[in-house]
């Protein structure tokens, strides 16, 4: 008997789907060792271990409670640890498996965690496939959705080390899948499965309480549409709701003692979450609580391939038009699913935009919306396919465009692996590295360390982790985190220098306390290597050379005194200015700002160790603190103790003064420039701000002519 064509097609679809997902799994298991430790991973791991210790103490499991590997990591209890409010649906099993497999080496631990994170992502990809296949009744459309997911560079990269946002993404799409199963086939079994999925999602992010609200609302709507009777409505609602509560508490040890109060504590902590002091957005440093409402939409638009966004816009337009035309929530199972997708995407998005929730690091906190974004984008793909057919244009034209987009995106990902998380599309502009947060996970640090280790055979290599480091306060840094995943024989060769002067190499980003431009001009360090994306240097590696002082100044040299400029080193009183920003202790100048530095006290001076030999004059650009109209600031300028003249400043900015110089005034050694007879005024005394510093003049630049 011959097989029916439909059966052959069904067998082929299962085979292709199976091969595809096996291939995806193999790729993931091949790539997970390539990524570094993300900034949050050590803290996240500690959450799981503290919870595991809590369970071991509660249930008297001595093999765990007496394991020195875990006991020595933290003396804090579950109710003392700062991050106790985080759910542990990923971290607790991860810690338990770390114990079961007796993982002790940090490299093995973090490699295993990366593989475990990817497995969660893989399960989320499966759920997305079933969502697409069910909604469009075509396994090929389901696979197209997975291609969009894995060829979204930032999402794919985070799938290995972002064990907060990616875990929630996976559980959000799984819970979406079980929600639709439950509503299409409302029975005790689907209610049970959906309750477990809902609880798991809540145990990662409490924002997932959106699911019970939406689920019960849709059950009520189905009752009013006479698709459920009252008895079944009450039965299913109670089973789902109560089971969700029970499983949520069961999977979250922090809630075991007084669940209601503890859950409210979690919710309050969400509203009062510590905020990052400043976020680089559109070229400006903005406090996280003052970010504009379009912060998330803009980030999504700049970091998602444009073709995917076009499909999404078309898909949304089609769905909105459909509902406006039908004037009904849904008229079919397809309509029900579409309405759920719209609610699950725009509901949380609008809620977060409209709330005071802290946001930073791009839009990673909303990555969970991306699978729903893809489902809506698939609507756009279907529409374009049908539209081309209507215009008698071959549908292969759309397939070729899609294929080319996939090829271009995958080539970019392969070329920049493992830094796919730094993807920006053309809408971000040419200077994206100066306008937005870039390597907030610190992944480039591992690449930089490996470059140093490869080219330097020394047994002891002193490196200063200058990428916005807090190392001097003994806090762990991105640099320190990357050491965890290096091989032992490589890790022991690296010494963490506490001060710049003690370092052989520096790792510096554009967001570091000392800007890379300073080291490019300083003279004591030379550019050794860099980690780049699309021609942009995102992490500089500087190496100390034999020159011990600032490079000599040249005639017509312009020295600026902003915090990213070389001039800040001349604001120290010593002739040989140090490099260490944390050692800043000038008696003459306040800490430099973007434009320059305010003088401190009644007099301020700076010393130029290597002034130009052939010099005709000096041009000085000053600011003045003039709090009221008709007020002025004045100072007397001295060079090498020679009185050059008195200066009257009439405006706040751009006060330029030129002074000719004689050989006698210049002298033969260092040049000392002094501003005397200053009259500082504090902004606080004038009722302008809480700034109590005494301000008079500010030094912007000096030009030698």
């Amino acid at each position: 008997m011959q097989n029916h064509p439909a059966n052959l097609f069904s067998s082929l679809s299962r085979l292709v789907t199976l091969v595809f997902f096996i291939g995806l799994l193999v790729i993931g298991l091949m790539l997970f060792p390539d990524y570094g430790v993300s900034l949050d991973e050590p803290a996240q791991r500690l959450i799981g271990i503290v919870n595991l210790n809590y369970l071991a103490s509660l249930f008297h499991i001595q093999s765990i409670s007496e394991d020195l590997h875990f006991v020595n990591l933290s003396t804090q209890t579950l109710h003392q640890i700062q991050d106790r409010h985080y759910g542990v649906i990923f971290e607790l099993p991860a810690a338990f498996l770390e114990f079961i497999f007796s993982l002790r080496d940090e490299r093995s631990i973090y490699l295993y965690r990366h593989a475990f994170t990817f497995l969660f992502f893989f399960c989320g990809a499966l759920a997305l496939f079933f969502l697409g296949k069910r909604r469009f009744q075509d396994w090929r459309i389901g696979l197209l959705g997975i291609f969009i997911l894995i060829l979204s560079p930032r999402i794919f990269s985070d799938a290995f080390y972002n064990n907060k946002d990616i875990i929630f993404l996976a559980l959000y799409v799984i819970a979406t899948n079980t929600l639709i199963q439950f509503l299409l086939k409302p029975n005790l079994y689907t209610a049970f499965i959906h309750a477990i999925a809902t609880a798991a999602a809540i145990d990662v992010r409490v924002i997932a309480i959106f699911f019970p609200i939406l689920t019960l609302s849709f059950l009520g709507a189905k009752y009013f549409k006479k698709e459920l009777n009252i008895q079944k409505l009450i039965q299913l609602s109670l089973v789902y709701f109560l089971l969700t509560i029970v499983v949520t508490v069961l999977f979250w040890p922090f809630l075991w003692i007084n669940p209601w109060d503890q859950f409210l504590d979690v919710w309050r902590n969400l509203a009062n979450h510590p905020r990052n002091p400043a976020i680089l957005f559109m070229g400006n440093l903005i406090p996280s609580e003052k970010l504009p409402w379009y912060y998330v939409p803009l980030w999504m638009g700049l970091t998602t391939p444009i073709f995917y966004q076009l499909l999404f816009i078309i898909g949304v337009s089609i769905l909105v038009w459909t509902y406006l035309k039908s004037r009904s929530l849904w008229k079919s199972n397809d309509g029900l699913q579409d309405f759920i997708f719209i609610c699950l995407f725009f509901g949380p998005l609008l809620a977060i935009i409209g709330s005071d929730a802290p946001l930073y690091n791009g839009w990673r906190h909303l990555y969970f919306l991306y699978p729903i974004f893809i489902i809506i984008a698939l609507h756009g793909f279907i529409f374009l396919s049908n539209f081309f057919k209507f215009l008698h244009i071959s549908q292969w034209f759309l397939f070729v465009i899609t294929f080319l987009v996939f090829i271009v995106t995958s080539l970019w990902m392969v070329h920049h692996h493992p830094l796919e998380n730094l993807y920006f599309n053309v809408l971000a502009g040419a200077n994206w590295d100066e306008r937005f947060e870039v390597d907030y996970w610190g992944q480039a640090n591992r690449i930089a360390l490996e470059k140093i280790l490869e080219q330097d055979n020394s047994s002891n290599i002193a490196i200063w982790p200058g990428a916005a480091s807090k190392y001097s306060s003994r806090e762990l840094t991105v640099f320190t985190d990357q050491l965890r995943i290096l091989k032992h024989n490589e890790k022991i060769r690296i010494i963490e220098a506490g001060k710049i002067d003690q370092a052989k190499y520096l790792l510096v980003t554009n967001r570091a306390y000392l800007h890379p431009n300073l080291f490019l001009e300083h003279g004591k360090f030379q550019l050794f290597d860099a980690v780049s994306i699309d021609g942009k240097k995102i992490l500089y590696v500087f190496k100390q050379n034999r020159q011990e002082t600032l490079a000599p100044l040249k005639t017509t040299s312009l020295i600026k005194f902003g915090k990213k400029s070389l001039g800040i080193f001349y604001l120290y009183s010593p002739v040989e200015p140090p490099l260490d920003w944390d050692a800043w202790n000038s008696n003459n100048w306040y800490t430099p700002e973007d434009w320059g530095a305010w003088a401190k006290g009644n007099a301020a001076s700076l010393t130029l160790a290597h002034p130009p030999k052939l010099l005709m004059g000096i041009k000085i650009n000053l600011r003045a603190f003039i709090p009221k109209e008709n007020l002025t600031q004045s100072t007397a300028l001295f060079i090498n103790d020679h009185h050059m003249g008195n200066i009257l400043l009439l405006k706040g900015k751009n006060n330029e003064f030129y002074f000719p110089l004689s050989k006698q005034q210049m002298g033969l050694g260092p040049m000392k420039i002094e501003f005397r007879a200053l009259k500082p005024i504090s902004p606080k005394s004038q009722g302008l701000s809480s700034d109590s510093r005494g301000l008079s003049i500010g030094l912007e630049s000096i030009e030698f002519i």
Side-chain angles (χ1 to χ4, degrees):
M1 179 181 294
Q2 292 183 339
N3 290 326
H4 192 277
N7 294 332
L8 288 174
F9 189 75
S10 178
S11 299
L12 176 64
S13 69
R14 285 194 293 268
L15 177 62
V16 172
T17 302
L18 179 63
V19 170
F20 174 84
F21 278 102
I22 290 175
L24 175 59
L25 186 60
V26 169
I27 290 173
L29 296 179
M30 288 173 58
L31 296 181
F32 78 86
D34 298 346
Y35 296 91
V37 177
S38 68
L39 187 62
D40 283 351
E41 280 191 89
Q44 288 297 112
R45 175 178 171 241
L46 183 61
I47 295 169
I49 290 173
V50 170
N51 274 268
L52 185 64
N53 286 336
Y54 172 76
L55 295 185
S57 174
L58 189 64
F59 295 108
H60 306 290
I61 307 174
Q62 292 185 346
S63 58
I64 297 177
S65 59
E66 297 178 0
D67 190 322
L68 295 180
H69 174 68
F70 288 144
V71 173
N72 293 338
L73 282 174
S74 176
T75 58
Q76 298 179 87
T77 66
L78 175 59
H79 294 278
Q80 291 174 334
I81 188 172
Q82 180 180 357
D83 294 328
R84 61 188 177 275
H85 302 96
Y86 285 98
V88 291
I89 199 70
F90 173 86
E91 296 302 339
L92 185 56
F96 181 69
L97 290 174
E98 183 179 325
F99 168 76
I100 290 296
F101 293 117
S102 299
L103 297 175
R104 297 295 181 263
D105 174 63
E106 280 194 317
R107 173 176 167 82
S108 300
I109 290 169
Y110 283 99
L111 287 178
Y112 136 74
R113 287 176 61 87
H114 288 182
F116 195 40
T117 303
F118 179 79
L119 290 177
F120 266 77
F121 173 77
F122 180 80
C123 293
L126 279 171
L128 176 60
F129 168 75
F130 288 118
L131 276 181
K133 178 185 176 184
R134 179 193 300 113
R135 169 57 188 89
F136 300 104
Q137 300 175 12
D138 192 331
W139 63 275
R140 295 167 299 182
I141 299 298
L143 286 183
L144 177 62
I146 305 303
F147 269 108
I148 294 176
L149 177 68
I150 63 178
L151 293 180
S152 297
R154 286 179 174 257
I155 300 294
F156 184 77
S157 180
D158 276 38
F160 294 92
Y161 50 76
N162 184 348
N163 43 43
K164 289 195 295 189
D165 307 298
I166 292 299
I167 301 304
F168 189 51
L169 177 152
L171 293 175
Y172 193 84
V173 67
I174 290 171
T176 301
N177 193 44
T178 58
L179 167 62
I180 291 176
Q181 285 180 321
F182 180 36
L183 293 177
L184 293 181
K185 295 181 179 180
N187 56 52
L188 292 177
Y189 173 75
T190 54
F192 177 82
I193 297 298
H194 182 45
I196 293 176
T198 299
I202 293 173
D203 283 349
V204 177
R205 292 265 173 85
V206 291
I207 193 176
I209 62 170
F210 192 74
F211 275 108
I213 297 172
L214 198 63
T215 301
L216 296 176
S217 298
F218 272 101
L219 284 176
K222 287 179 74 70
Y223 166 73
F224 285 109
K225 289 174 66 69
K226 298 182 179 180
E227 296 177 11
L228 277 181
N229 59 49
I230 187 65
Q231 181 180 0
K232 200 167 186 179
L233 171 67
I234 295 174
Q235 179 193 49
L236 293 178
S237 298
L238 286 176
V239 168
Y240 165 73
F241 186 68
L242 294 176
L243 188 59
T244 297
I245 295 174
V246 170
V247 177
T248 298
V249 175
L250 181 64
F251 289 170
W252 198 342
F254 178 69
L255 302 180
W256 289 1
I257 300 175
N258 202 344
W260 177 249
D261 286 347
Q262 297 291 62
F263 189 81
L264 289 178
D265 188 31
V266 171
W267 192 261
R268 284 191 293 268
N269 180 73
L270 177 66
N272 300 309
H273 192 278
R275 302 176 184 275
N276 282 19
I279 308 299
L280 181 62
F281 182 63
M282 299 291 287
N284 299 308
L285 288 173
I286 304 175
S288 58
E289 67 272 18
K290 294 183 179 180
L291 290 170
W293 67 267
Y294 53 84
Y295 175 79
V296 168
L298 184 64
W299 258 101
M300 294 176 70
L302 300 181
T303 58
T304 304
I306 295 175
F307 182 64
Y308 305 167
Q309 297 181 59
L310 176 63
L311 295 180
F312 174 80
I313 292 171
I314 295 173
V316 167
S317 302
I318 295 302
L319 292 178
V320 170
W321 171 252
T322 300
Y323 283 111
L324 289 177
K325 187 172 62 173
S326 66
R327 298 182 181 180
S328 174
L329 294 181
W330 70 83
K331 292 184 178 180
S332 64
N333 286 339
D334 288 346
L336 171 62
Q337 294 177 70
D338 292 340
F339 192 67
I340 291 172
F341 295 141
I342 292 293
C343 292
L344 285 174
F345 183 84
F346 287 102
L349 178 63
L350 295 176
I352 290 175
I353 289 177
S355 71
D356 194 31
L359 297 170
Y360 43 86
N361 298 156
W363 63 287
R364 68 176 181 85
H365 296 95
L366 277 79
Y367 277 177
F368 66 92
L369 298 179
Y370 197 62
I372 314 301
F373 171 97
I374 292 173
I375 292 293
I376 296 174
L378 293 176
H379 274 282
F381 183 87
I382 297 295
F383 172 81
L384 285 181
S385 178
N386 293 332
F387 185 66
F388 284 178
K389 186 177 180 181
F390 173 77
L391 296 178
H392 303 291
I393 299 174
S394 174
Q395 292 174 309
W396 282 104
F397 181 69
L398 176 61
F399 299 152
V400 168
I401 293 175
T402 305
F403 179 74
L404 290 176
V405 169
F406 286 163
I407 289 295
V408 170
T409 305
S410 26
L411 287 176
W412 188 96
M413 293 172 68
V414 170
H415 180 67
H416 294 292
H417 176 76
L419 297 178
E420 299 96 334
N421 67 307
L422 303 184
Y423 173 84
F424 283 94
N425 62 38
V426 296
L427 299 178
N431 60 338
W432 50 265
D433 57 320
E434 299 174 359
R435 302 175 67 213
F436 303 100
E437 301 284 336
V438 182
D439 189 22
Y440 47 78
W441 285 133
Q443 290 291 304
N445 283 260
R446 178 182 178 181
I447 297 175
L449 289 175
E450 289 174 343
K451 286 185 175 185
I452 294 172
L453 289 166
E454 181 182 352
Q455 300 180 55
D456 192 324
N457 296 322
S458 306
S459 56
N460 294 308
I461 306 173
I463 302 176
W464 185 71
S469 167
K470 296 180 181 178
Y471 180 72
S472 62
S473 62
R474 308 309 302 170
E475 296 181 40
L476 297 179
T477 66
V478 173
F479 168 88
T480 310
D481 293 336
Q482 298 309 322
L483 295 179
R484 303 172 189 271
I485 209 164
L486 296 181
K487 295 178 181 178
H488 179 71
N489 62 330
E490 297 176 336
K491 184 189 308 183
I492 60 175
R493 295 170 55 203
I494 295 177
I495 301 171
E496 298 172 77
K499 295 183 178 180
I500 298 179
D501 290 326
Q502 300 169 352
K504 185 176 182 180
Y505 297 94
L506 312 179
L507 304 183
V508 187
T509 72
N510 288 335
R511 292 294 308 278
Y513 296 132
L514 295 178
H515 196 270
N517 290 344
L518 302 178
F519 298 105
L520 290 171
E521 300 177 30
H522 188 282
K524 187 171 183 178
F525 289 86
Q526 62 183 2
L527 184 62
F528 172 76
D529 210 329
V531 181
S532 302
I533 293 289
D534 290 335
K536 300 285 187 180
K537 292 181 176 65
I538 60 169
L539 182 64
Y540 296 75
V541 181
F542 291 97
K543 182 180 181 181
Q544 187 175 157
N545 59 30
R546 294 180 180 178
Q547 191 167 335
E548 296 296 330
T549 60
L550 296 173
L553 293 170
K554 300 177 181 179
T555 306
T556 70
S557 291
L558 175 65
I559 304 178
K560 296 182 179 180
F561 295 90
K563 65 182 181 181
K564 294 183 180 180
S565 304
L566 185 65
I568 67 170
F569 297 117
Y570 296 106
L571 299 180
Y572 287 93
S573 55
V575 174
E576 301 295 340
L579 269 169
D580 195 347
W581 176 269
D582 292 323
W584 183 275
N585 187 24
S586 173
N587 294 321
N588 296 278
W589 306 93
Y590 289 109
T591 302
E593 301 176 26
D594 288 335
W595 56 268
W598 289 108
K600 181 190 292 186
N602 297 317
S605 65
L606 65 149
T607 302
L608 305 178
H610 302 283
K613 293 181 179 179
L614 300 176
L615 193 60
M616 297 179 60
I618 185 172
K619 182 188 292 184
I620 300 176
N621 191 337
L622 299 173
R623 282 197 179 192
F625 180 63
I626 303 175
K628 297 179 181 179
E629 292 184 9
N630 301 321
L631 290 182
T632 61
Q633 287 283 1
S634 62
T635 183
L637 176 68
F638 288 78
I639 295 181
N640 291 336
D641 291 323
H642 292 278
H643 184 214
M644 306 299 296
N646 295 327
I647 298 174
L648 181 65
L649 296 92
L650 303 175
K651 53 186 180 179
K653 299 179 182 179
N654 300 321
N655 298 284
E656 286 192 350
F657 303 92
Y658 173 78
F659 297 92
L661 287 171
S662 66
K663 291 183 179 181
Q664 182 183 8
Q665 292 167 333
M666 285 184 58
L668 299 176
M671 177 185 289
K672 184 178 181 181
I673 302 174
E674 296 179 272
F675 299 92
R676 301 178 184 177
L678 300 176
K679 299 176 182 178
I681 307 170
S682 74
K684 184 177 181 180
S685 68
Q686 302 298 307
L688 300 176
S689 71
S690 59
D691 188 352
S692 60
R693 294 178 301 168
L695 307 181
S696 53
I697 67 166
L699 182 58
E700 291 198 41
S701 67
I702 294 177
E703 185 176 4
F704 299 98
I705 300 173

